[in-house]
Amino acid sequence: MTQYEILKHYFGYDTFRDGQDVLIQNILEGRDVLGVMPTGAGKSLCYQIPALMMDGITLVISPLISLMKDQVSNLNQVGILAAYINSSLTAAQYYKVLDLARAGRYPIIYVAPERLMSEDFLRFALSGQVKISMVAVDEAHCVSQWGQDFRPSYLKIVDFINQLPVRPVVSAFTATATAQVRDDIIDILMLRNPQVMTTGFNRPNLYFGVQSPKDKYATMVNYLERHKGESGIIYCLTRKVVEEVCSQLIREGFSVTRYHAGLSDSERRHNQEDFIYDRAQIMVATNAFGMGIDKSNVRFVVHYNMPKNMESYYQEAGRAGRDGEPSECILLYGGQDVVTNQFFIDHNQDNEALDPVTREIVMERDRERLRKMTFYCFTNECLRDYILRYFGEYGSNYCGNCSNCLSQFETVDVTDISRILIGCVESCRQRYGTNVIIDTVRGANTAKIRNYRMDENPHYGELAKVPAYKLRQVMNHLMLNGYLAVTNDEYAIVKLTGKSKGILEEGEQVAMKMAREAEHPAKVAGAS
Ligand code: ADP
Ligand code: ZN
């Protein structure tokens, strides 16, 4: 069968999606590939179809047991023989799979990365009785320390490949598009002259919105009431918030279920199925929910808290509208979200195994990402544009389908405010973070301000009449545009830059887009 016939016969689709045919063709010609495609774009078919056309076995390296099980059972359902090898198998099952594989039963075998270098598996792979024609690496960004979820076991993949008597085709797939991660994948997996295929990250059917409501819960309920009968996900940062939001919504009569790592396996599976089969309309979950979930009719994803970075945000938000129908991604920002995320960065257990130098690099990276996420919540520019630029693509500056493009903004001269903020940073000898600067110019009478003797600063109280959110927007604007910088450590101290002087001394003007007073999201209930 040709790839087109396989697509139709096994998967029931008539045409390939963007990028799929190119990747498949290259693999069939024996060339390594790297497919960078957003979640839901259809990466799996890109290795499954050639696997059925090549002789020998395709090993698919995948990080999650649950993901493997789903993929294998999906394949089995459409009549493709596939198996998986991971720690959930008993010894007897494991040897049975290897026996059947030796007998040529499976064109596709999913393997956990930590299994590759085990003695039994190496004996199998190197025996000469089997031909491994392709190694497909799913979630390939796991090889990169710069990636979202670095997995040391992924570093073993290349050792494994290098031991094989004949080098297989190596195909790698990820939804993480930053150049750094892309380069890491190519280097670390030692891809040979790979065909790199990046398909557009833009999802035009998704509306993006950010709000900073005083009362998040009320705003969310208001939103849900306007979306009765639609399927949606509410992401919260912690299990505790999931529990609170979920039980309150149940009390108010919404059809809700929940998902987080603190629930038993069986309850998680049960709740997930309730959501997938529309027995529960709304899923309230931590970021533990979603990887490998394929539900096409999710009409909205509300982030009840700001996630830790743009990668997470776009991946989670991107679970809306996989069927291509208009869907909404709403982020409800609150200052506490930054504090919580900062805490996670400072107490990340995964980092404890790292040597101190690497740990510091990883933490700096995470703080920088958190900052970019926070900027997303404060920018008045097109949100889609911000996202696409973050992932290294160019947007159009105006998408017409995000809360910023649809708000009325006016261009406001903020030179005076900027001069005072920068002046305050200078006169405190660049020793404090954003909050202290803002509290100082607002003339806050707090113990902290008195302790730092910022009440004696020449700019103390000079901007008492400007609302705090506006000062924060100006601060962010100054940082985004290089008029101020911030240290990349846990203190995030505001520093002057080469450009600061232009405003302080040379009469440079600063203008920025701002929502008209009445339209600031904080003052409007409900989105879109
Ligand atoms: P990814 O791994 O990129 O997140 P998947 O491989 O899970 O995406 O595919 C997402 C969904 O898109 C699946 O339901 C899959 O069957 C479907 N799909 C993949 N390729 C096509 C295609 N060419 N036409 C229609 N649907 C497709
Ligand atoms: Zn826009």
Side-chain angles (χ1 to χ4, degrees):
M1 275 198 271
T2 66
Q3 58 260 49
Y4 303 99
E5 288 163 348
I6 292 178
L7 179 71
K8 181 74 190 165
H9 176 81
Y10 287 108
F11 299 98
Y13 303 132
D14 293 315
T15 51
F16 281 112
R17 287 194 186 148
D18 210 17
Q20 288 179 325
D21 41 356
V22 176
L23 287 165
I24 292 171
Q25 194 55 42
N26 275 280
I27 292 173
L28 290 173
E29 286 165 13
R31 184 166 172 193
D32 288 357
V33 301
L34 168 58
V36 185
M37 298 160 138
T39 304
K43 291 184 279 295
S44 331
L45 289 193
C46 300
Y47 54 80
Q48 288 166 348
I49 288 179
L52 297 175
M53 299 174 68
M54 299 157 97
D55 52 326
I57 297 171
T58 288
L59 295 179
V60 183
I61 319 293
S62 175
L64 289 185
I65 291 178
S66 59
L67 218 63
M68 284 187 210
K69 285 186 174 164
D70 288 350
Q71 294 262 11
V72 167
S73 74
N74 288 345
L75 290 172
N76 291 343
Q77 269 169 27
V78 300
I80 296 171
L81 293 166
Y84 57 81
I85 292 174
N86 58 40
S87 59
S88 75
L89 297 184
T90 62
Q93 290 170 325
Y94 177 51
Y95 292 117
K96 177 132 188 258
V97 170
L98 290 186
D99 279 344
L100 289 170
R102 267 188 218 100
R105 183 180 170 90
Y106 304 117
I108 303 177
I109 301 177
Y110 283 75
V111 194
E114 53 278 357
R115 280 286 155 146
L116 290 174
M117 296 302 270
S118 73
E119 231 171 278
D120 285 326
F121 192 76
L122 279 177
R123 200 175 315 123
F124 161 78
L126 306 180
S127 66
Q129 289 171 289
V130 295
K131 178 178 172 195
I132 293 170
S133 40
M134 170 156 70
V135 172
V137 185
D138 204 3
E139 312 287 348
H141 56 274
C142 293
V143 300
S144 173
Q145 300 240 7
W146 300 104
Q148 266 258 73
D149 6 52
F150 170 61
R151 283 171 198 250
S153 58
Y154 260 60
L155 298 175
K156 301 263 189 274
I157 296 172
V158 73
D159 298 335
F160 172 78
I161 292 171
N162 287 339
Q163 292 198 33
L164 294 173
V166 180
R167 186 181 181 279
V169 176
V170 182
S171 57
F173 300 88
T174 179
T176 302
T178 53
Q180 207 165 25
V181 171
R182 217 174 312 180
D183 292 347
D184 264 6
I185 293 172
I186 294 174
D187 290 346
I188 296 172
L189 290 178
M190 297 174 71
L191 300 185
R192 294 188 184 167
N193 179 30
Q195 167 76 40
V196 181
M197 184 80 219
T198 306
T199 60
F201 271 62
N202 191 12
R203 302 268 310 274
N205 62 315
L206 299 185
Y207 164 91
F208 291 96
V210 173
Q211 295 182 68
S212 316
K214 286 236 162 57
D215 185 343
K216 276 189 189 187
Y217 183 77
T219 304
M220 183 182 65
V221 167
N222 183 299
Y223 181 87
L224 297 179
E225 269 162 3
R226 285 181 290 123
H227 291 80
K228 279 256 162 77
E230 294 179 2
S231 191
I233 306 173
I234 297 168
Y235 277 110
C236 308
L237 262 183
T238 63
R239 298 175 192 180
K240 186 163 162 270
V241 179
V242 169
E243 291 295 339
E244 285 165 8
V245 168
C246 182
S247 49
Q248 189 137 4
L249 287 176
I250 288 172
R251 272 200 297 279
E252 300 199 28
F254 287 97
S255 161
V256 196
T257 185
R258 71 200 199 287
Y259 191 104
H260 59 68
L263 304 175
S264 69
D265 282 354
S266 66
E267 189 176 359
R268 271 192 309 217
R269 196 165 337 110
H270 179 260
N271 293 354
Q272 172 174 322
E273 285 178 359
D274 277 353
F275 177 65
I276 289 176
Y277 299 113
D278 294 319
R279 292 191 290 266
Q281 185 204 330
I282 300 166
M283 169 59 87
V284 185
T286 61
N287 63 0
F289 177 74
M291 204 172 188
I293 302 287
D294 184 16
K295 180 171 169 63
S296 63
N297 66 336
V298 176
R299 289 281 71 87
F300 60 85
V301 172
V302 172
H303 277 77
Y304 196 70
N305 303 107
M306 179 185 76
K308 63 178 186 280
N309 56 38
M310 293 292 296
E311 285 86 347
S312 308
Y313 181 62
Y314 202 48
Q315 192 157 51
E316 289 158 16
R319 297 198 171 111
R322 287 173 76 156
D323 54 8
E325 295 296 316
S327 309
E328 302 195 341
C329 309
I330 311 292
L331 197 166
L332 302 178
Y333 172 86
Q336 181 61 35
D337 300 340
V338 181
V339 179
T340 309
N341 276 304
Q342 222 128 34
F343 181 86
F344 287 154
I345 293 173
D346 294 338
H347 299 84
N348 186 348
Q349 308 245 324
D350 295 346
N351 293 347
E352 261 152 39
L354 303 174
D355 69 273
V357 177
T358 314
R359 190 189 313 144
E360 195 45 45
I361 293 173
V362 168
M363 284 169 70
E364 273 179 22
R365 176 204 71 187
D366 289 348
R367 286 188 204 107
E368 175 65 20
R369 287 187 176 164
L370 175 58
R371 203 163 301 130
K372 296 240 171 81
M373 182 74 244
T374 313
F375 283 146
Y376 174 80
C377 299
F378 280 93
T379 183
N380 287 333
E381 305 297 326
C382 172
L383 293 174
R384 186 183 314 276
D385 207 55
Y386 186 93
I387 294 170
L388 293 179
R389 269 187 289 121
Y390 183 86
F391 291 112
E393 281 186 25
Y394 294 99
S396 61
N397 289 321
Y398 179 88
C399 74
N401 193 22
C402 76
S403 56
N404 286 349
C405 285
L406 296 176
S407 296
Q408 292 287 318
F409 285 108
E410 49 195 352
T411 302
V412 181
D413 184 301
V414 291
T415 309
D416 291 338
I417 296 178
S418 301
R419 195 176 309 114
I420 291 171
L421 287 170
I422 295 174
C424 183
V425 172
E426 186 187 44
S427 57
C428 73
R429 298 197 312 261
Q430 311 180 49
R431 282 181 303 171
Y432 301 117
T434 304
N435 291 336
V436 170
I437 302 298
I438 289 178
D439 282 352
T440 302
V441 298
R442 293 200 73 215
N445 184 17
T446 64
K448 193 170 186 179
I449 293 297
R450 287 192 301 270
N451 276 344
Y452 293 165
R453 302 181 67 168
M454 287 299 276
D455 51 347
E456 295 165 22
N457 185 284
H459 301 288
Y460 181 75
E462 277 190 345
L463 296 173
K465 291 212 175 73
V466 184
Y469 76 83
K470 193 163 171 184
L471 291 174
R472 198 166 287 279
Q473 285 190 338
V474 177
M475 272 307 249
N476 281 313
H477 182 79
L478 293 173
M479 288 174 190
L480 266 176
N481 291 283
Y483 293 106
L484 285 174
V486 57
T487 59
N488 218 356
D489 53 25
E490 59 187 293
Y491 307 108
I493 292 166
V494 185
K495 297 281 182 189
L496 300 179
T497 70
K499 283 175 85 178
S500 311
K501 220 170 70 181
I503 295 176
L504 278 186
E505 293 169 18
E506 291 156 15
E508 195 177 319
Q509 306 279 304
V510 193
M512 65 180 286
K513 271 166 62 175
M514 284 202 160
R516 289 177 208 280
E517 286 297 295
E519 282 163 6
H520 184 267
K523 297 183 182 161
V524 192
S528 65

